Structures are given as C-alpha cells and as structure tokens.
Amino acid sequence: MEQKLKGQTAIVTGASSGIGAGVAKSLASAGATVIVNHPVPATKSAADAVVDEIVCEGGTAISCQCDVSKEDEVKKMFADVVAAHGTVDILVNNAGLQRDAPFTEMTLEQWNYVLSVNLTGQFLCAREAIREFIRRGIVPERSVAAGKIICMSSVHEVIPWGGHANYAASKGGIMLMMKSIAQEFAPKKIRINSICPGAIQTPINRGAWGTPEELKSLLTLIPYDRIGQPEDIGKAAVWLASDESDYITGASIFIDGGMTLYPGFSTNG
Ligand code: NAD
C-alpha cells in the first residue's frame, strides 16, 4: 500500500479485535506507527497478536492498555504515547460495546456502562488528542492538518434500534459531539469525522451472522447483499486520516452496503 501516513502516529482504541484490529492493520500498512489500545489485562494477548501481525508485515505497532471510560487512564495513555513517539497525529475513537435490554428492563448500570465507554470514552480521548494537536501545530512534512480524529459511530446514529436504546443514544450522541468539535476546531486545521458502519462481521454482532438463517435474515437489510468486513472500514479510515480527504470535516460517512437506503421500500413499501 502507498505510505500515505508515513511518519505519523495513530492511536486506535479497542483495537484488539474486530473493526479496531482491521483499522490498526490498515493504518500500519499505510505507514503509520500504530498504538493498539485494549481495555484490561485479559485483552493484552489479543492486542499483542494484532501487533505481531503488523510487525510481521513490516509495520510498526505497540499495544497499550487503557480503559477509555477512565479519565486518569486516558490521560496517561496520551502522555505515554507523546513521551515515547513525540506526538499523536491520528486518533481512531473505535472502542464500543453493547449491553442490550428491552427499555423497561434496562438497568441504570447497563445504560451508564454503554454511555461511559461509547460516548464518554470518545469525549475523553478526543479532548486529549485535540490538546496535543494544538500544542504541536502543523508539521508540513507529515500532513497539512494539525491532526485527524475518526469517530466510530454506526448506522444507529440515524436508525432507531428497539431493545438497544443505550447503544443508539450513544451513537446519536457521537454524531453531534463529532460535528460540534469539528466546527470548533476547523480553524485550527483539525479534521474530525465519523465512520458509520452497517453490519460488519465482528464479535460484537455474532448473533446476527453466526448461523446461515441469521445471516440470511441480516442480508434482507443490506441491498449490496454481503456482510461487511473490517478491511472495508480500514480502507476508509486510511483515506480519512490522509491528506487526500483534506477538505472533509464534520462528515458522517456511512459504510453499510446500503443499509441506510430504507431497503424495505425497494418495491412498493
Ligand atoms: P468488537 O467487540 O470486536 O470491538 C470492540 C472493542 O472495544 C473490543 O476490542 C473491546 O476490547 C474494546 N473495548 C470495550 N470496552 C473498552 C474500553 N472501556 N476501553 C477500551 N477498549 C474497550 O466489536 P466491533 O464490531 O469491532 O466494534 C468496534 C466499533 O464499531 C464499536 O464502536 C461499535 O459500536 C462499532 N460498530 C460496529 C458495527 C458492526 O457491525 N460490527 C456496526 C456499527 C458500529
């Protein structure tokens, strides 16, 4: 792959599996030094396996434990990365999870947990990244922008999702947080965008593709008639992090095989 991100350092949160692992590999093959974030000691071996894969392919990566919902841990992760690598050029705010329940049975713990990782985690990481981008300013040899943030949102920032109100609320929240900070920091040449995946084949949604019947039912929601793969998101993340997308900020980019095209209306509705 062309080394569009050569010399740049990227933090990818929640990168020990699924989309985050795919994005980490894509950014590394585009030349970035990638910090493969994972949340707890139990996820270290999976994060190290992603690092090993990147290094075997000739890339540069290290793993870093940090729970993105904890302010002190996020501050430490950014301080450690700046101390070791000089700065951070790219943040991919990817960590996310689901704790599903019918609304009347949803506990406050389920509500708070999903919001704390999916939305507060993105706030904490974006705030540290932007502080660093402003401190460092533009380095023209690396990028015409002072920094780039990619927020992993979802088609559920616009598609309501019964039984998943906490998750949909977190993704709707990401949309307006992303657009608000994109507006606030565009004059500082910081670009902030979201990727909104449809159904991507990862552990988070195994229940939607784990059996042939589940996959067949899922495909009725996808006009392009295939489930997405982490590489579909990784390729777009490289482009959004590179100067090729320099005039794009505040955008939600849907990568969903047409899931947001209201497939139920493809004939007479
Ligand atoms: P996944 O479960 O494989 O990945 C989620 C990652 O987040 C895991 O590696 C997990 O360890 C990490 N994580 C959880 N809590 C964390 C914390 N507190 N701090 C740091 N990391 C933490 O699932 P995925 O599908 O790869 O999901 C990645 C992102 O993509 C999520 O934000 C998810 O909402 C979003 N997304 C996924 C799909 C899909 O179809 N797979 C669709 C739309 C959006």
Short mmCIF file of all heavy atoms in Angstrom, two decimals, residues 148-201:
data_model
loop_
_atom_site.label_atom_id
_atom_site.label_comp_id
_atom_site.label_asym_id
_atom_site.label_seq_id
_atom_site.Cartn_x
_atom_site.Cartn_y
_atom_site.Cartn_z
N LYS A 148 -6.01 14.58 13.00
CA LYS A 148 -7.23 13.99 12.46
C LYS A 148 -7.85 13.06 13.50
O LYS A 148 -7.13 12.27 14.12
CB LYS A 148 -6.93 13.16 11.20
CG LYS A 148 -6.63 13.99 9.96
CD LYS A 148 -5.21 14.44 9.76
CE LYS A 148 -4.20 13.36 9.81
NZ LYS A 148 -2.90 13.71 9.17
N ILE A 149 -9.17 13.14 13.65
CA ILE A 149 -9.88 12.21 14.54
C ILE A 149 -10.97 11.52 13.71
O ILE A 149 -11.69 12.18 12.95
CB ILE A 149 -10.53 12.93 15.74
CG1 ILE A 149 -9.44 13.58 16.60
CG2 ILE A 149 -11.35 11.95 16.58
CD1 ILE A 149 -9.98 14.40 17.77
N ILE A 150 -11.05 10.21 13.86
CA ILE A 150 -12.12 9.43 13.23
C ILE A 150 -12.92 8.78 14.36
O ILE A 150 -12.37 8.01 15.16
CB ILE A 150 -11.55 8.36 12.29
CG1 ILE A 150 -10.76 9.04 11.16
CG2 ILE A 150 -12.67 7.50 11.73
CD1 ILE A 150 -9.87 8.10 10.38
N CYS A 151 -14.20 9.12 14.45
CA CYS A 151 -15.07 8.55 15.47
C CYS A 151 -15.82 7.36 14.86
O CYS A 151 -16.43 7.50 13.79
CB CYS A 151 -16.09 9.59 15.94
SG CYS A 151 -15.33 11.05 16.68
N MET A 152 -15.76 6.20 15.52
CA MET A 152 -16.53 5.05 15.03
C MET A 152 -17.95 5.19 15.57
O MET A 152 -18.21 4.97 16.75
CB MET A 152 -15.88 3.73 15.48
CG MET A 152 -16.18 2.58 14.55
SD MET A 152 -15.70 2.89 12.82
CE MET A 152 -13.91 2.91 12.94
N SER A 153 -18.83 5.59 14.68
CA SER A 153 -20.23 5.70 15.07
C SER A 153 -20.94 4.44 14.59
O SER A 153 -20.43 3.33 14.75
CB SER A 153 -20.83 6.98 14.49
OG SER A 153 -22.16 7.11 14.90
N SER A 154 -22.08 4.58 13.93
CA SER A 154 -22.86 3.41 13.49
C SER A 154 -24.01 3.92 12.64
O SER A 154 -24.40 5.09 12.74
CB SER A 154 -23.44 2.68 14.72
OG SER A 154 -24.44 1.76 14.36
N VAL A 155 -24.58 3.01 11.83
CA VAL A 155 -25.85 3.37 11.17
C VAL A 155 -26.89 3.77 12.22
O VAL A 155 -27.83 4.50 11.93
CB VAL A 155 -26.41 2.23 10.30
CG1 VAL A 155 -25.56 2.01 9.06
CG2 VAL A 155 -26.58 0.92 11.09
N HIS A 156 -26.67 3.31 13.47
CA HIS A 156 -27.64 3.63 14.53
C HIS A 156 -27.44 5.03 15.10
O HIS A 156 -28.03 5.36 16.12
CB HIS A 156 -27.60 2.55 15.62
CG HIS A 156 -28.07 1.23 15.10
ND1 HIS A 156 -29.35 1.04 14.64
CD2 HIS A 156 -27.40 0.07 14.87
CE1 HIS A 156 -29.46 -0.20 14.19
NE2 HIS A 156 -28.30 -0.81 14.29
N GLU A 157 -26.65 5.87 14.42
CA GLU A 157 -26.74 7.29 14.76
C GLU A 157 -27.96 7.90 14.07
O GLU A 157 -28.40 8.97 14.43
CB GLU A 157 -25.44 8.07 14.44
CG GLU A 157 -25.15 8.35 12.98
CD GLU A 157 -24.00 9.35 12.78
OE1 GLU A 157 -22.96 9.21 13.45
OE2 GLU A 157 -24.16 10.28 11.96
N VAL A 158 -28.50 7.18 13.06
CA VAL A 158 -29.76 7.65 12.43
C VAL A 158 -30.88 6.61 12.45
O VAL A 158 -32.05 6.98 12.37
CB VAL A 158 -29.54 8.13 10.97
CG1 VAL A 158 -28.70 9.39 10.93
CG2 VAL A 158 -28.95 7.05 10.09
N ILE A 159 -30.55 5.31 12.50
CA ILE A 159 -31.61 4.29 12.51
C ILE A 159 -31.97 3.95 13.96
O ILE A 159 -31.11 3.47 14.72
CB ILE A 159 -31.15 2.98 11.80
CG1 ILE A 159 -30.77 3.25 10.34
CG2 ILE A 159 -32.23 1.92 11.89
CD1 ILE A 159 -30.27 2.00 9.59
N PRO A 160 -33.21 4.21 14.38
CA PRO A 160 -33.61 3.83 15.74
C PRO A 160 -33.47 2.32 15.92
O PRO A 160 -33.59 1.56 14.95
CB PRO A 160 -35.08 4.26 15.81
CG PRO A 160 -35.26 5.22 14.69
CD PRO A 160 -34.30 4.81 13.61
N TRP A 161 -33.23 1.86 17.18
CA TRP A 161 -32.97 0.43 17.40
C TRP A 161 -33.61 -0.02 18.71
O TRP A 161 -33.01 0.10 19.78
CB TRP A 161 -31.46 0.17 17.41
CG TRP A 161 -31.07 -1.24 17.07
CD1 TRP A 161 -31.85 -2.21 16.50
CD2 TRP A 161 -29.77 -1.84 17.24
NE1 TRP A 161 -31.13 -3.37 16.32
CE2 TRP A 161 -29.86 -3.17 16.76
CE3 TRP A 161 -28.56 -1.38 17.74
CZ2 TRP A 161 -28.77 -4.05 16.77
CZ3 TRP A 161 -27.47 -2.26 17.76
CH2 TRP A 161 -27.58 -3.57 17.28
N GLY A 162 -34.84 -0.52 18.60
CA GLY A 162 -35.56 -1.01 19.78
C GLY A 162 -34.76 -2.10 20.48
O GLY A 162 -34.14 -2.94 19.83
N GLY A 163 -34.78 -2.07 21.80
CA GLY A 163 -34.03 -3.06 22.58
C GLY A 163 -32.56 -2.70 22.76
O GLY A 163 -31.82 -3.42 23.42
N HIS A 164 -32.17 -1.57 22.14
CA HIS A 164 -30.77 -1.13 22.21
C HIS A 164 -30.72 0.38 22.42
O HIS A 164 -29.90 1.08 21.81
CB HIS A 164 -30.03 -1.46 20.90
CG HIS A 164 -30.11 -2.89 20.45
ND1 HIS A 164 -31.24 -3.45 19.94
CD2 HIS A 164 -29.17 -3.86 20.46
CE1 HIS A 164 -31.01 -4.73 19.62
NE2 HIS A 164 -29.76 -5.00 19.93
N ALA A 165 -31.62 0.90 23.26
CA ALA A 165 -31.74 2.37 23.39
C ALA A 165 -30.44 3.00 23.89
O ALA A 165 -30.09 4.10 23.47
CB ALA A 165 -32.88 2.72 24.33
N ASN A 166 -29.74 2.31 24.78
CA ASN A 166 -28.48 2.86 25.29
C ASN A 166 -27.44 2.98 24.17
O ASN A 166 -26.76 3.99 24.03
CB ASN A 166 -27.93 2.03 26.48
CG ASN A 166 -27.94 0.52 26.23
OD1 ASN A 166 -28.34 0.05 25.15
ND2 ASN A 166 -27.51 -0.24 27.22
N TYR A 167 -27.35 1.94 23.33
CA TYR A 167 -26.37 1.94 22.23
C TYR A 167 -26.74 3.02 21.20
O TYR A 167 -25.88 3.82 20.79
CB TYR A 167 -26.36 0.55 21.57
CG TYR A 167 -25.35 0.38 20.47
CD1 TYR A 167 -24.02 0.05 20.75
CD2 TYR A 167 -25.70 0.54 19.12
CE1 TYR A 167 -23.08 -0.12 19.74
CE2 TYR A 167 -24.77 0.38 18.11
CZ TYR A 167 -23.47 0.04 18.42
OH TYR A 167 -22.54 -0.13 17.41
N ALA A 168 -28.01 3.07 20.80
CA ALA A 168 -28.42 4.06 19.80
C ALA A 168 -28.22 5.48 20.34
O ALA A 168 -27.78 6.38 19.61
CB ALA A 168 -29.87 3.83 19.39
N ALA A 169 -28.51 5.68 21.63
CA ALA A 169 -28.31 7.01 22.22
C ALA A 169 -26.83 7.38 22.22
O ALA A 169 -26.46 8.53 21.95
CB ALA A 169 -28.85 7.04 23.65
N SER A 170 -25.97 6.39 22.45
CA SER A 170 -24.52 6.69 22.45
C SER A 170 -24.07 7.09 21.06
O SER A 170 -23.26 8.01 20.90
CB SER A 170 -23.71 5.50 22.98
OG SER A 170 -23.63 4.43 22.04
N LYS A 171 -24.59 6.43 20.03
CA LYS A 171 -24.15 6.73 18.67
C LYS A 171 -24.76 8.05 18.18
O LYS A 171 -24.10 8.83 17.47
CB LYS A 171 -24.50 5.57 17.72
CG LYS A 171 -23.80 4.25 18.08
CD LYS A 171 -22.27 4.36 18.08
CE LYS A 171 -21.58 3.04 18.33
NZ LYS A 171 -20.12 3.12 18.34
N GLY A 172 -26.02 8.32 18.55
CA GLY A 172 -26.60 9.64 18.24
C GLY A 172 -25.80 10.75 18.91
O GLY A 172 -25.59 11.83 18.34
N GLY A 173 -25.34 10.48 20.13
CA GLY A 173 -24.53 11.45 20.85
C GLY A 173 -23.20 11.69 20.18
O GLY A 173 -22.72 12.83 20.09
N ILE A 174 -22.60 10.62 19.67
CA ILE A 174 -21.32 10.77 18.95
C ILE A 174 -21.50 11.70 17.75
O ILE A 174 -20.65 12.54 17.47
CB ILE A 174 -20.80 9.39 18.48
CG1 ILE A 174 -20.28 8.59 19.68
CG2 ILE A 174 -19.69 9.54 17.42
CD1 ILE A 174 -19.99 7.12 19.38
N MET A 175 -22.64 11.55 17.05
CA MET A 175 -22.84 12.37 15.85
C MET A 175 -22.72 13.87 16.19
O MET A 175 -21.97 14.60 15.53
CB MET A 175 -24.20 12.10 15.22
CG MET A 175 -24.49 13.01 14.05
SD MET A 175 -26.06 12.70 13.26
CE MET A 175 -27.21 13.17 14.52
N LEU A 176 -23.43 14.33 17.20
CA LEU A 176 -23.40 15.77 17.47
C LEU A 176 -22.18 16.21 18.26
O LEU A 176 -21.76 17.37 18.14
CB LEU A 176 -24.71 16.23 18.12
CG LEU A 176 -25.78 16.53 17.07
CD1 LEU A 176 -27.10 16.94 17.72
CD2 LEU A 176 -25.35 17.62 16.09
N MET A 177 -21.57 15.30 19.03
CA MET A 177 -20.27 15.65 19.61
C MET A 177 -19.27 15.87 18.48
O MET A 177 -18.54 16.87 18.45
CB MET A 177 -19.77 14.57 20.57
CG MET A 177 -18.43 14.96 21.21
SD MET A 177 -17.58 13.61 22.04
CE MET A 177 -16.98 12.65 20.65
N MET A 178 -19.22 14.90 17.54
CA MET A 178 -18.26 14.97 16.44
C MET A 178 -18.46 16.27 15.63
O MET A 178 -17.50 17.00 15.36
CB MET A 178 -18.43 13.73 15.54
CG MET A 178 -17.51 13.66 14.34
SD MET A 178 -18.06 14.62 12.91
CE MET A 178 -19.50 13.71 12.34
N LYS A 179 -19.70 16.56 15.27
CA LYS A 179 -19.95 17.75 14.43
C LYS A 179 -19.63 19.03 15.21
O LYS A 179 -19.11 20.00 14.65
CB LYS A 179 -21.40 17.74 13.93
CG LYS A 179 -21.64 16.69 12.85
CD LYS A 179 -23.08 16.68 12.35
CE LYS A 179 -23.34 15.48 11.44
NZ LYS A 179 -22.68 15.56 10.14
N SER A 180 -19.94 19.05 16.50
CA SER A 180 -19.67 20.25 17.31
C SER A 180 -18.18 20.52 17.43
O SER A 180 -17.73 21.66 17.29
CB SER A 180 -20.28 20.10 18.71
OG SER A 180 -21.68 19.95 18.61
N ILE A 181 -17.39 19.47 17.67
CA ILE A 181 -15.95 19.72 17.82
C ILE A 181 -15.30 19.93 16.45
O ILE A 181 -14.31 20.65 16.34
CB ILE A 181 -15.24 18.65 18.69
CG1 ILE A 181 -15.39 17.24 18.13
CG2 ILE A 181 -15.73 18.74 20.13
CD1 ILE A 181 -14.65 16.17 18.96
N ALA A 182 -15.87 19.33 15.40
CA ALA A 182 -15.34 19.60 14.05
C ALA A 182 -15.50 21.08 13.72
O ALA A 182 -14.59 21.72 13.18
CB ALA A 182 -16.06 18.73 13.02
N GLN A 183 -16.67 21.63 14.07
CA GLN A 183 -16.92 23.05 13.85
C GLN A 183 -15.96 23.90 14.70
O GLN A 183 -15.36 24.87 14.22
CB GLN A 183 -18.38 23.34 14.23
CG GLN A 183 -18.84 24.75 14.04
CD GLN A 183 -20.12 24.99 14.84
OE1 GLN A 183 -20.12 24.91 16.07
NE2 GLN A 183 -21.21 25.25 14.12
N GLU A 184 -15.81 23.52 15.97
CA GLU A 184 -15.00 24.30 16.90
C GLU A 184 -13.51 24.35 16.50
O GLU A 184 -12.86 25.37 16.66
CB GLU A 184 -15.15 23.70 18.31
CG GLU A 184 -14.58 24.55 19.42
CD GLU A 184 -14.98 24.03 20.82
OE1 GLU A 184 -15.94 23.23 20.93
OE2 GLU A 184 -14.31 24.41 21.78
N PHE A 185 -13.01 23.24 15.96
CA PHE A 185 -11.55 23.15 15.74
C PHE A 185 -11.13 23.17 14.27
O PHE A 185 -9.93 23.08 13.99
CB PHE A 185 -10.98 21.93 16.47
CG PHE A 185 -11.10 22.09 17.96
CD1 PHE A 185 -12.09 21.43 18.66
CD2 PHE A 185 -10.27 22.97 18.64
CE1 PHE A 185 -12.24 21.61 20.03
CE2 PHE A 185 -10.41 23.17 20.02
CZ PHE A 185 -11.40 22.48 20.71
N ALA A 186 -12.06 23.37 13.35
CA ALA A 186 -11.67 23.50 11.94
C ALA A 186 -10.69 24.67 11.74
O ALA A 186 -9.71 24.53 10.99
CB ALA A 186 -12.90 23.65 11.06
N PRO A 187 -10.90 25.81 12.41
CA PRO A 187 -9.94 26.92 12.21
C PRO A 187 -8.53 26.56 12.66
O PRO A 187 -7.56 27.21 12.24
CB PRO A 187 -10.52 28.05 13.07
CG PRO A 187 -11.98 27.72 13.21
CD PRO A 187 -12.04 26.23 13.25
N LYS A 188 -8.40 25.57 13.52
CA LYS A 188 -7.06 25.13 13.96
C LYS A 188 -6.51 24.04 13.04
O LYS A 188 -5.50 23.41 13.34
CB LYS A 188 -7.13 24.54 15.38
CG LYS A 188 -7.63 25.51 16.42
CD LYS A 188 -6.49 26.29 17.00
CE LYS A 188 -6.97 27.20 18.13
NZ LYS A 188 -6.12 28.37 18.29
N LYS A 189 -7.23 23.78 11.92
CA LYS A 189 -6.81 22.76 10.94
C LYS A 189 -6.80 21.35 11.56
O LYS A 189 -5.91 20.54 11.29
CB LYS A 189 -5.43 23.09 10.33
CG LYS A 189 -5.44 24.39 9.53
CD LYS A 189 -6.15 24.20 8.20
CE LYS A 189 -6.23 25.47 7.38
NZ LYS A 189 -7.29 26.40 7.80
N ILE A 190 -7.80 21.11 12.40
CA ILE A 190 -8.01 19.77 12.94
C ILE A 190 -9.27 19.22 12.28
O ILE A 190 -10.31 19.89 12.28
CB ILE A 190 -8.17 19.82 14.48
CG1 ILE A 190 -6.85 20.28 15.11
CG2 ILE A 190 -8.61 18.45 15.03
CD1 ILE A 190 -6.96 20.63 16.59
N ARG A 191 -9.16 18.04 11.68
CA ARG A 191 -10.31 17.45 10.98
C ARG A 191 -10.89 16.31 11.81
O ARG A 191 -10.15 15.45 12.30
CB ARG A 191 -9.91 16.93 9.61
CG ARG A 191 -9.45 18.02 8.67
CD ARG A 191 -9.38 17.55 7.22
NE ARG A 191 -8.43 16.47 7.01
CZ ARG A 191 -8.77 15.21 6.72
NH1 ARG A 191 -10.04 14.86 6.60
NH2 ARG A 191 -7.83 14.30 6.52
N ILE A 192 -12.21 16.32 11.95
CA ILE A 192 -12.89 15.31 12.78
C ILE A 192 -14.10 14.80 11.99
O ILE A 192 -14.94 15.59 11.55
CB ILE A 192 -13.33 15.91 14.12
CG1 ILE A 192 -12.13 16.59 14.81
CG2 ILE A 192 -13.94 14.83 15.02
CD1 ILE A 192 -12.47 17.54 15.91
N ASN A 193 -14.12 13.49 11.77
CA ASN A 193 -15.21 12.87 11.01
C ASN A 193 -15.63 11.58 11.68
O ASN A 193 -14.91 11.04 12.53
CB ASN A 193 -14.72 12.56 9.58
CG ASN A 193 -14.42 13.81 8.79
OD1 ASN A 193 -15.32 14.54 8.36
ND2 ASN A 193 -13.13 14.10 8.57
N SER A 194 -16.79 11.07 11.27
CA SER A 194 -17.24 9.76 11.76
C SER A 194 -17.34 8.77 10.61
O SER A 194 -17.71 9.14 9.48
CB SER A 194 -18.63 9.85 12.39
OG SER A 194 -18.58 10.44 13.65
N ILE A 195 -17.05 7.52 10.93
CA ILE A 195 -17.42 6.41 10.06
C ILE A 195 -18.62 5.73 10.72
O ILE A 195 -18.61 5.47 11.92
CB ILE A 195 -16.25 5.41 9.92
CG1 ILE A 195 -15.14 6.03 9.06
CG2 ILE A 195 -16.75 4.10 9.30
CD1 ILE A 195 -13.90 5.15 8.91
N CYS A 196 -19.64 5.48 9.90
CA CYS A 196 -20.86 4.84 10.41
C CYS A 196 -20.99 3.47 9.75
O CYS A 196 -21.55 3.35 8.64
CB CYS A 196 -22.08 5.69 10.07
SG CYS A 196 -21.96 7.36 10.71
N PRO A 197 -20.47 2.42 10.39
CA PRO A 197 -20.57 1.10 9.78
C PRO A 197 -22.01 0.57 9.84
O PRO A 197 -22.76 0.88 10.75
CB PRO A 197 -19.65 0.22 10.64
CG PRO A 197 -18.85 1.16 11.48
CD PRO A 197 -19.69 2.39 11.64
N GLY A 198 -22.32 -0.26 8.83
CA GLY A 198 -23.56 -1.05 8.89
C GLY A 198 -23.22 -2.34 9.62
O GLY A 198 -22.69 -2.31 10.73
N ALA A 199 -23.52 -3.49 9.00
CA ALA A 199 -23.20 -4.77 9.65
C ALA A 199 -21.83 -5.24 9.19
O ALA A 199 -21.64 -5.58 8.02
CB ALA A 199 -24.26 -5.81 9.30
N ILE A 200 -20.88 -5.22 10.10
CA ILE A 200 -19.52 -5.67 9.83
C ILE A 200 -19.31 -6.95 10.65
O ILE A 200 -19.71 -7.02 11.82
CB ILE A 200 -18.48 -4.60 10.25
CG1 ILE A 200 -18.84 -3.21 9.67
CG2 ILE A 200 -17.07 -5.02 9.83
CD1 ILE A 200 -18.85 -3.10 8.16
N GLN A 201 -18.69 -7.95 10.03
CA GLN A 201 -18.57 -9.27 10.68
C GLN A 201 -17.51 -9.24 11.78
O GLN A 201 -16.31 -9.36 11.50
CB GLN A 201 -18.21 -10.31 9.63
CG GLN A 201 -18.41 -11.73 10.07
CD GLN A 201 -18.44 -12.69 8.90
OE1 GLN A 201 -17.98 -12.36 7.81
NE2 GLN A 201 -18.98 -13.88 9.11
#
